[in-house]
Structure formats: C-alpha cells, structure tokens
Amino acid sequence: MQLAMVDDRIQALEDLHKAYQDRGLFFGDGVYEVLRSYQGRIFALDEHLQRFEKSLAAIDINGVDLDMVRRRIERAFEAAEIANAKIYFHITRGAAPRSHLEQPDMEPTFLLTVTKLEDDTHAKTNGIAVSTHPDWRWKKCDIKSLNLLPNVLARRNAAKKDCYEAILVDEAGLITEGAGSAFFAIFGRSLHTAPLAANILPSITRAFVIQAARNISLQLREQSILPTQAKLADELFIAVTTQDIIPVVKFDEQTIANGAPGPFTQQLISEFRKFTHKTS
Amino acid sequence: MQLAMVDDRIQALEDLHKAYQDRGLFFGDGVYEVLRSYQGRIFALDEHLQRFEKSLAAIDINGVDLDMVRRRIERAFEAAEIANAKIYFHITRGAAPRSHLEQPDMEPTFLLTVTKLEDDTHAKTNGIAVSTHPDWRWKKCDIKSLNLLPNVLARRNAAKKDCYEAILVDEAGLITEGAGSAFFAIFGRSLHTAPLAANILPSITRAFVIQAARNISLQLREQSILPTQAKLADELFIAVTTQDIIPVVKFDEQTIANGAPGPFTQQLISEFRKFTHKTS
C-alpha cells in the first residue's frame, strides 16, 4: 500500500493532506509577493500584481486570473480589518504526488495570509547593522520564487552577528542586494544601487525610492559597488516593502559616517511617507 | 483578525493547516533524499542517511536523530509492503507564520512517502534523448535542498523537446550534471564525469557507477566536458537513484554513435545489478 508519514504518523498516501503534496513544498515551484497597507490602504497593489504576473509567466504557470487574485487580496484585507497589515500570497503549480514534471490537469494553489505589521521605529530612527554574505542564489533572482534557502541562510548568518540584514556579494566581489531588501549607498549627492538584471529582484520599493530621490534632486547611479566602497559611503540604507527605508549605520562592523542615519536618508524617508500616506 | 486564505476560502490564521505554514513551502528551507528498494530490500540506505546528515548540517538544522529517521524509513517501508518502492523523505526547519528567521523553539517537520516504482525498461533497453539547458541552480548544489525550481524548469524544457532529461550547462559552457541525475560520457575506455564540487550533487548512484566502472576496468576521468564533446562520445548515460543507469542515445538531437546503448554502458548496467540484487 502506498503510504505517507508525517513526523511519526503513518497514513495512506491518499489521506495525506494536499498541502504536504504541494509542488511549492517539494520544489519551491511557485512565486510570491509581499504587500503592506498603511493606515487601512494597501500600498502599490498594481505594481505588485504586475510583478507577480511576470513571475508567473517566467516559470510558465498559466491560466491564473490576475483580477481574481486582486479580488481575493482585497476581500481578505477587508475581512482582516487590520490597518497596518502585511499581506503575503503565493501561487504554486499545484499539488500531486512528487514528480519533477507536473500532471497535465493540475490546478495552481493560492495561499494568502494577512498579519499585523509592526513598524520597526527603532530601526528607522537609529539605523541598523548589516553584514555581508556570499550571494549563493540562483541565476534568476529577477523571478520572485519560493526558492529562498540562500536568503534564509544569509539572514541567519547576519542574525548570528547581531545584524538586521545580510548584504549579498557576488563572485566578482560586488554587492548585489540584501537577502530581503534592496541596497543603496549615497556618495555626495549620488544615490548608488545595483542595476536591474537577472541577479537583482526588481523591487517595487526600489522604484519608489528612485522616485523619492528624484524629488530631492539626488542623482541616480545604477552601478554595483564593492563592500570596501560601501564602508566609505556618506550614507547607506536598505529598502523593503514592509518597512520601506531603513538607514544602515554599520556595515561589517564598520561605522558609517558618524554612525547616525544620514540627512538624505531621512529626507528620503519623509518623501516616501508622502507616497504611503497620500491624502485621497 | 489575522487570517489566511487557501484558494478562495478565508479562515482564521490559527486554523490554517500546519503544512501551509511549513518553512519548506515558504522558503524551501529543508533537505531531502530519494531511496529505492529492489525486490524487497532498500538499496544504499546507509549512504543516503550519511548524505542526509551532511545536508542537514550544511543548512544548520540541528538535533535530528538520524537513528530515528532510519527507524521511520524502515517502519514505513515494511508497512507499505511494496517490493520495488520509491521512498522520498525530507526534513524542514519546521512550521510557523512566515519569517525569514525561524522561531527559537521550532520543531523540524519530517515527511516521507512510499510509492510504487515502475522500472523504465523501455528507457533502459532503448536509451533516451536528452537536451541541454543552462544551469540556473544556486551555488550550493552539493546540498540536497528543496530549492528545486531550476531543476523543474530545466526538466520541463526537456519534456517539451520530447527529451527524458535536461543536461545542465554552466556559464563556462561545461556540463555539470542532469537536472535529476549524474551524467557520464565514455571515450574509448575512459569514463568521464564532472568532479565533485559545490556545483555537483554527490550522487550515491554516481559512486556505485564508479565502482562498477572499476570492476570492468574503465578508467575514471573526473573532468567536465562540453556539449560539443559529449556529442562525439562513444557512449553516454545518466545515473539516477530510481532507475540506476539509463543509456543516452541522443544529445541535443545528435545521435550518439550508432544510436543504440553502448557495450560498456550495458556492462555497467549488469555490474550495477550485482550491487542491487546481491544474494544475501
């Protein structure tokens, strides 16, 4: 008899919960998004849905109705009644007994959670420490896939060093991005970040940071830098959906500038707030 | 209220099935093995458990009792009463609401399935066609992790070309291995396969193939080759736990030698059978 075992319980294979046979679990065969709301309003839903559509296409999961995804997100968000919420959702290629090739009649699985989001005001006010880690990720980081083990390992390594985020460094020695964030450095009035390519997630928050930088007349330089250069920056920060801009005041144990969040970073935080707290 | 949604059903977050909150699903934060049995006996259990232990250590999942894992495998295999079985098992870092960093008190999840394995005698007798695909995998392919999306994408690409397996090619243009198999080429009396490194899974079947090759006096050359070289090989084959050795007779639409499984490959299949069908 074909069977399954979860922890120490044996059961018939056909009784195994569908979630344990999800291709997301066996292979990471799915793509995801993380959204947040500010004061009862979901931020940048269109942009996240557009990226999600690209991710689905990139791994060839077809037939997903994006309008239905949007309606589900809105329905769940309304039902949750959480003003500052974190919305996670993913779609996998579906569930079936494990085989690299999917079955022809497979239905994608949709999973979403809405949870309370705590704004990390301490990090935003005082800045954070980050540490570098080799970028072990796959060659298609522009796809927001469920294959996140290298990100987890980098983040765990950072946490062991009491760092908030891991900054990934590729084989050429250049900074790509954070394990779960975009990375920025300011030199004078120039804002540096890695150019979008297959090794960079096209971060939605990054796009808004660039708009904010334009608003305060910073010059954008889309070019990768070395950790040794990052340590000499006037200001550093990361950008992530759940917290938008967080100043970086320590990089691999090196204090950045005077060790406090820099003036341009603070201006960018204020500009960003105009996007997220628009009066309608 | 924090909530979850599976497909179109909203539920309280605390009612969401544990499997949907598994770090294996959110991140691929786990490692796995595939075993098979021949005629009622599990093959190479020790070797698979040793590799599993290394994979667990490599991603820092600690405190797993490997003897307990062994007992579970044996108990499930006996309960299934399937002579030629495929045994899949994995351990993930556990289940909890999604966060890159795990909770400190997390219990790893163990999942196992025992299913019927059909020997693919057609493939073994007639050989298979394979096609190349860029190796998009992460930098730690020596860890047998659940981050298998690049393997799935490569395999799907091969299937579209009516090929049985995808042969992965790195950025230097060299063959690494199959999406789910080790890859071998025979030139004269030399058996070529990629050397074990971070970009190669230390295949158990590969180790037995090397032993078999020694038994028939083939010379082992652990060096990577180009697709153009592979097309000129006297013989090609792949090695995979579930089917051991499968001859390759077509490589990127190029017929190999006379298009039939080669004599050394057939000898290796016979030698391999001595390992799997030992009289005890």
Side-chain angles (χ1 to χ4, degrees), chain A residues 13-269:
Chain A
L13 184 64
E14 55 265 34
D15 296 335
L16 180 62
H17 194 287
K18 200 183 149 198
Y20 283 121
Q21 301 193 65
D22 198 287
R23 293 179 63 86
L25 179 58
F26 287 138
F27 305 110
D29 190 6
V31 291
Y32 77 104
E33 285 291 331
V34 179
L35 289 158
R36 72 160 289 177
S37 69
Y38 291 87
Q39 301 181 306
R41 201 161 47 180
I42 299 175
F43 181 63
L45 177 55
D46 288 347
E47 289 84 347
H48 282 275
L49 282 171
Q50 280 159 22
R51 183 172 64 184
F52 190 60
E53 189 171 16
K54 281 183 193 164
S55 292
L56 285 168
I59 69 166
D60 201 26
I61 293 182
N62 301 304
V64 173
D65 178 349
L66 268 293
D67 286 333
M68 180 205 68
V69 172
R70 174 192 292 269
R71 286 193 303 272
R72 285 182 181 172
I73 293 166
E74 289 172 342
R75 182 153 70 91
F77 177 63
E78 280 162 30
E81 295 184 329
I82 299 172
N84 292 313
K86 176 176 171 178
I87 304 169
Y88 168 88
F89 65 96
H90 74 217
I91 285 182
T92 71
R93 209 179 300 275
R98 185 179 186 276
S99 161
H100 278 72
L101 290 179
E102 75 270 19
Q103 294 176 355
D105 55 348
M106 213 161 222
E107 279 293 317
T109 309
F110 176 81
L111 177 71
L112 175 148
T113 59
V114 186
T115 52
K116 271 181 210 140
L117 192 151
E118 301 298 335
D119 285 308
D120 196 337
T121 48
H122 185 270
K124 209 159 197 132
T125 310
N126 300 288
I128 57 165
V130 301
S131 54
T132 53
H133 191 275
D135 191 342
W136 286 339
R137 299 174 304 161
W138 72 323
K139 303 253 166 10
K140 295 280 166 184
C141 297
D142 52 336
I143 303 171
K144 202 165 170 71
S145 90
L146 298 177
N147 275 210
L148 293 169
L149 181 53
N151 308 64
V152 165
L153 295 179
R155 186 67 74 84
R156 293 177 86 245
N157 177 274
K160 281 180 188 167
K161 299 175 188 165
D162 288 325
C163 287
Y164 186 101
E165 172 65 310
I167 303 302
L168 305 178
V169 177
D170 69 15
E171 284 175 324
L174 293 164
I175 292 169
T176 53
E177 57 189 331
S181 63
F183 180 74
F184 296 85
I186 298 174
F187 299 89
R189 291 195 73 90
S190 292
L191 177 68
H192 287 243
T193 195
L196 294 183
N199 63 341
I200 301 287
L201 180 77
S203 156
I204 308 295
T205 318
R206 175 188 189 277
F208 283 99
V209 165
I210 289 172
Q211 180 58 50
R214 209 171 280 143
N215 293 353
I216 64 167
S217 301
L218 290 181
Q219 288 175 314
L220 179 66
R221 293 262 183 279
E222 290 186 275
Q223 55 192 53
S224 304
I225 63 170
L226 301 161
T228 48
Q229 294 174 301
K231 288 180 185 176
L232 299 172
D234 297 319
E235 306 182 28
L236 297 178
F237 65 89
I238 60 169
V240 52
T241 289
T242 48
Q243 306 287 341
D244 51 77
I245 294 171
I246 303 177
V248 170
V249 294
K250 204 172 262 194
F251 185 102
D252 273 346
E253 301 199 328
Q254 167 76 53
T255 299
I256 302 306
N258 68 354
F264 286 128
T265 304
Q266 288 173 316
Q267 280 186 56
L268 289 171
I269 289 172

Side-chain angles (χ1 to χ4, degrees), chain A residues 1-2 5 7 80 110 116, chain B residues 1-2 7 80 110 112 116:
Chain A
M1 182 187 75
Q2 301 198 118
M5 196 173 189
D7 297 327
F110 176 81
K116 271 181 210 140
Chain B
M1 181 187 76
Q2 300 198 120
D7 296 327
F110 176 81
L112 174 148
K116 271 181 211 141

